[in-house]
Every structure is written in C-alpha cells, then in structure tokens.
C-alpha cells in the first residue's frame, strides 16, 4: 500500500506519466443506485416536491445521469434540476412555485470547495434556512449512501488497467463524490494500493485537483484523465491533458478498450489526434444536451 500524501500539491512524480481517474460511474457502477435510491428521493422530501415527484425524479436523473451535466457536483446538479423542473409544463400546471433559493445559488457561486464541511460552515455563519435545508439534504444523502450502497465491485478491466497503469504512471482518484464514500469503495475493493491519492469533493473541483496534482510536474501530453462525464473531459481540457471516456451504458467495453488499446497508445505517444477525437465524439453522442420533454 502506497502511503497517501497529505495534499495534492505535495505529490511528487515517481513516473513520467500521470493519470487521473474518476470514481462514480467510471471505476464503479455506483451512479444509478446513488442517484435513484439516495439523491433523488431525499431531494423530493427535503425540497417538498412530493406533488410532482414523478417529474422531479425524471428531471434529477436527466441532469445527473443521462445528459451533458452527468457527474456534476451535487449542489450544482440540484440547482440545475430545480431550474429545469420549474419550467416543466406539468409543474406549472400543478401551480407549484419553485423558490429561487438565492442563498444557495450565491453559496455555490462563491465557494470553491463545494462539500459538506464548507456548507456546514456557511450554515453556522449565516443561519440561513435554505442553506440549512441544503445541508440537511446533503447530510442525509451521505448517510443513506453509507447505509445502502455496498457490494458494488469495480467494472471488469479496472483492476487489470490499474495494475498496468502503475508500471509507467502515477495515478490518483479525482472525484466529486464525498471523501468518506470514496475511501470506503476504493479500500473495500483493494484498489487503493494502485493510487497515490484519493481526492473527493472536499479537495476542490476536478479541474483544480488535476492541476494541483500534475501542473508543472508532468509534460501535459503525458497526462490523462479517465472519466464518464463531460466534466471530466473539461477538467482534462483545462489542464491540456488527454481524455479517455468511459461511455455510460458501455462501461465494460470502454475499460476493455482502455486496457487493450488506449493505455498503450497513451504510453507510446500515439493517443493524441484522431484516436482521441473519435473517442470523444462517440462519448458526446451518448449524452444529450436537451431533455426529451423539451423536444
Ligand atoms: Mg463519474
């Protein structure tokens, strides 16, 4: 087991190559159960959306699982869901007024580490009832994930890929899930031995985490992000890094391709260009921009 460094900034290269790996929906098939059994139902309860629960659920799943915003931070995803929901005909017909939640929007706009510790501080400092509602939802989500989400193995070819990665690259986990569930999932499956650091939402957003871990330490063309969401691709792009997509619904096939082909191309320097472009095109084709109910 490699000792985890104190912070991402402290991480010093042991290899020429660097790989950031997302966790939820990428290494593990945890997205569906977390969103369908934890995030969405608790959202409906805390934000009083019982009368439109069918549409709230559908909207939550579109935003967080089945569209370009898949994998977004939970708080950002909540606001996007409320905004889309407020515009739905079914919700307007119910005469349900979705509040603006200005203090939540303001907190999301100013906070760089969008996680429960920062939210708890904001609640304590402001006594704001909407922030408090948000915190209670988020806290209960973590509690329910801890209670419900277990026994989920990594996708096949993840472990083999990690073994192969560590021959030539330093790997870290870069995720917007909470630290506690990440530590549990990676250690339960004996995967933490392959990574030098596990960065959850409390460490900052993915772009910043990638930058802190890799910038100035590796040549950008020798850095790669593996993820299942456009946000992972954006974090790679912001760091001039390459991106390998784990395509939602085709995760096993994607990891097999990574293990048998993509990773070697990355190490050989033939990944950049048409090979990467066609992977990105296929990935985006799987994630719509606009919800089906708006078409
Ligand atoms: Mg993900």
């Amino acid at each position: 087991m490699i000792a985890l460094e104190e912070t991402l900034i402290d991480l010093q290269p042991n290899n020429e190559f660097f790989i950031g790996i997302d966790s939820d929906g990428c290494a593990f098939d945890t997205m569906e159960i977390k969103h369908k059994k934890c995030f969405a139902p608790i959202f409906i309860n805390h934000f009083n959306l019982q009368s439109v629960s069918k549409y709230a659920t559908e909207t939550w799943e579109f935003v967080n699982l089945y569209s370009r915003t898949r994998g977004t931070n939970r708080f950002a995803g909540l606001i996007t869901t409320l905004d889309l929901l407020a515009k739905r005909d079914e919700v307007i017909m119910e005469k349900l007024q979705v509040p603006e939640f200005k203090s939540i929007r303001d907190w999301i706009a100013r906070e760089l580490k969008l996680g429960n510790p920062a939210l708890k501080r904001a609640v304590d400092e402001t006594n704001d009832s909407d922030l408090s509602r948000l915190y209670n939802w988020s806290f209960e989500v973590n509690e329910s994930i801890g209670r419900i989400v277990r026994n989920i193995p990594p996708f096949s070819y993840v472990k083999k890929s990690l073994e192969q990665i560590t021959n030539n690259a330093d790997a870290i986990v870069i995720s917007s899930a909470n630290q506690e569930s990440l530590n549990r999932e990676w250690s339960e499956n004996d995967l933490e031995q392959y990574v030098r650091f596990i960065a959850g939402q409390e460490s900052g957003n993915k772009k910043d985490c990638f930058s802190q871990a890799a910038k100035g330490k590796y040549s950008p063309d020798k850095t790669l992000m593996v993820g299942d969401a456009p946000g992972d691709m954006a974090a790679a792009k912001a760091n001039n890094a390459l991106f390998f997509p784990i395509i939602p619904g085709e995760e096993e096939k994607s990891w097999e391709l990574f293990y048998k082909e993509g990773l070697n191309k990355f190490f050989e320097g033939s990944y950049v260009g048409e090979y990467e472009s066609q992977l990105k095109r296929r990935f985006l084709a799987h994630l719509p921009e606009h919800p089906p109910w708006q078409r």
Side-chain angles (χ1 to χ4, degrees), residues 22-26 31 70-71 206 227-229 232:
D22 173 56
S23 190
D24 276 15
C26 176
M31 291 279 278
R70 174 184 171 92
K206 290 180 178 180
D228 65 298
D232 301 316

Side-chain angles (χ1 to χ4, degrees), residues 53-271:
S53 73
K54 179 180 165 189
Y55 307 108
T57 301
E58 189 183 32
T59 309
W60 183 276
E61 290 173 5
F62 176 77
V63 168
N64 294 284
L65 291 171
Y66 306 131
S67 70
R68 294 286 165 96
T69 47
R70 174 184 171 92
T72 189
N73 172 275
R74 64 175 65 182
F75 305 109
L78 183 138
I79 287 296
T80 307
T81 301
L82 287 171
D83 285 345
L84 269 183
L85 191 60
K87 282 188 247 160
R88 290 191 68 153
D89 293 343
E90 301 89 345
V91 172
I92 294 165
M93 270 156 52
E94 273 288 322
K95 294 191 173 27
L96 182 92
Q97 284 289 331
V98 180
E100 196 202 348
F101 296 115
K102 187 171 183 307
S103 57
I104 296 180
R105 290 171 197 272
D106 290 347
W107 177 72
I108 291 172
R110 71 171 181 267
E111 178 56 58
L112 294 176
K113 296 188 173 180
L114 292 170
N116 282 5
L119 179 54
K120 181 70 171 65
R121 281 196 298 280
V123 170
D124 292 343
E125 281 161 17
T126 61
N127 258 322
D128 181 272
S129 63
D130 288 339
L131 287 181
S132 179
R133 179 193 302 275
L134 187 71
Y135 180 77
N136 291 338
W137 162 73
S138 187
F139 182 88
E140 193 178 321
V141 165
N142 287 2
E143 185 268 331
S144 82
I145 288 173
R147 192 159 34 83
I148 293 170
V149 182
R150 62 176 175 277
N151 304 331
I152 296 176
F155 289 112
S156 56
Y157 288 99
V158 169
K159 194 166 188 171
K160 279 182 169 174
S161 296
L162 284 165
E163 282 168 3
Q164 200 160 303
I165 282 172
T166 51
N167 292 334
N168 292 310
D170 298 319
I172 72 166
V173 178
I174 301 181
S175 167
S176 54
N178 79 83
Q179 190 71 48
E180 185 197 330
S181 64
L182 285 172
N183 292 348
R184 185 175 56 245
E185 285 154 5
W186 282 72
S187 65
E188 252 176 23
N189 291 285
D190 285 325
L191 296 182
E192 92 228 271
Q193 58 181 311
Y194 302 108
V195 293
R196 305 255 325 265
F197 199 95
I198 297 176
Q201 64 186 196
E202 294 85 349
S203 297
N205 67 43
K206 290 180 178 180
K207 173 174 140 268
D208 292 344
C209 285
F210 197 105
S211 165
Q212 286 176 29
K215 195 177 175 186
K217 304 178 195 173
Y218 305 86
S219 165
D221 60 335
K222 290 181 177 167
T223 63
L224 174 80
M225 179 77 198
V226 182
D228 65 298
D232 301 316
M233 190 162 85
K237 192 175 178 205
N239 285 283
N240 296 316
L242 300 163
F243 177 66
F244 185 90
I246 301 301
I247 295 176
E250 295 182 7
E251 294 90 347
E252 310 273 356
K253 260 170 68 185
S254 301
W255 276 106
E256 186 177 357
L257 182 72
F258 180 70
Y259 175 72
K260 292 184 174 167
E261 190 178 283
L263 189 56
N264 287 333
K265 285 190 177 283
F266 172 58
F267 287 147
E268 287 163 11
S270 58
Y271 189 90

